[in-house]
Amino acid sequence: MIHPQLTTRPGPQTADPQPTDADVAQRAREQRSQRALAGWLATRIRAAAHEGRHAAGEEPAPNPMRPTTHDSLGAFVSEDPRRELRNELELGDFWLGDGFPAPAWRAAWLPLTEELYMQRIGGVRPGGRVTVVAHFADRSTVGERLAGWEDVVGTSGSVHWLLDHLGIDDRHLPATAGAGEA
């Protein structure tokens, strides 16, 4: 005799099981890999276009300003009392160079001095060098010039995109950009 409590009835079957932590981690790795690949491709395409312009005899536009470098963030801030870091517009950490491990920078704009600066981070002594790479009169101008930066920052070669959008010849990175510089 079959006991009524032990019989099973077919019930609704779930088509998609709940994702596991491993599934979520795998998808995150794949997304990071896709972003890195997109950044690498953009860098290579830009480099090829840059080489093509020079082969055709075109010269790059002159830099709007000469970048100035300071030995540390402390030296940079102490030089001008208007450089209040609490008011800065953060433009992302991990603007990456080429190679492995890629050198990295952070970028920020200071409204009182109108300076956009880059600070070398990782693999350098604390306080890393700071280079003022551009001046912008207001926040909206920074936003217009660097529209889309959120999608690029953190990808391989992203520092080239940033410098290109700032009008700086990325063949000659600012003094903070040298991979061997501490």
Side-chain angles (χ1 to χ4, degrees):
M1 170 175 175
I2 299 178
H3 195 279
Q5 292 176 338
L6 297 177
T7 59
T8 59
R9 293 186 181 144
Q13 299 291 324
T14 58
D16 294 323
Q18 291 294 329
T20 65
D21 288 341
D23 294 334
V24 172
Q26 178 62 31
R27 276 198 302 270
R29 280 192 299 275
E30 289 171 359
Q31 289 172 347
R32 281 192 304 272
S33 182
Q34 289 171 353
R35 285 193 307 267
L37 178 60
W40 179 81
L41 286 172
T43 301
R44 299 287 67 89
I45 291 168
R46 202 172 44 257
H50 185 72
E51 289 172 9
R53 282 194 309 266
H54 285 292
E58 296 178 24
E59 286 299 317
N63 291 340
M65 64 163 281
R66 182 173 176 85
T68 57
T69 301
H70 305 267
D71 286 335
S72 68
L73 186 60
F76 172 66
V77 171
S78 68
E79 189 176 282
D80 189 333
R82 298 174 300 153
R83 291 177 175 148
E84 297 178 7
L85 299 182
R86 69 176 178 263
N87 294 328
E88 73 181 12
L89 170 63
E90 180 68 42
L91 296 169
D93 291 340
F94 305 112
W95 290 95
L96 300 174
D98 300 316
F100 184 82
W105 299 265
R106 63 181 291 272
W109 175 73
L110 296 168
L112 295 178
T113 60
E114 302 178 347
E115 297 167 312
L116 190 145
Y117 72 90
M118 295 172 63
Q119 179 186 14
R120 180 77 154 81
I121 57 175
V124 295
R125 60 179 156 54
R129 288 192 177 176
V130 171
T131 301
V132 176
V133 292
H135 286 89
F136 293 102
D138 54 49
R139 184 183 204 122
S140 64
T141 307
V142 174
E144 289 170 13
R145 179 73 74 85
L146 300 178
W149 70 267
E150 297 94 342
D151 297 329
V152 178
V153 67
T155 62
S156 179
S158 56
V159 72
H160 300 293
W161 181 96
L162 177 62
L163 295 173
D164 185 51
H165 280 74
L166 293 173
I168 297 173
D169 182 358
D170 69 356
R171 291 178 303 152
H172 307 289
L173 295 174
T176 56
E181 297 220 13

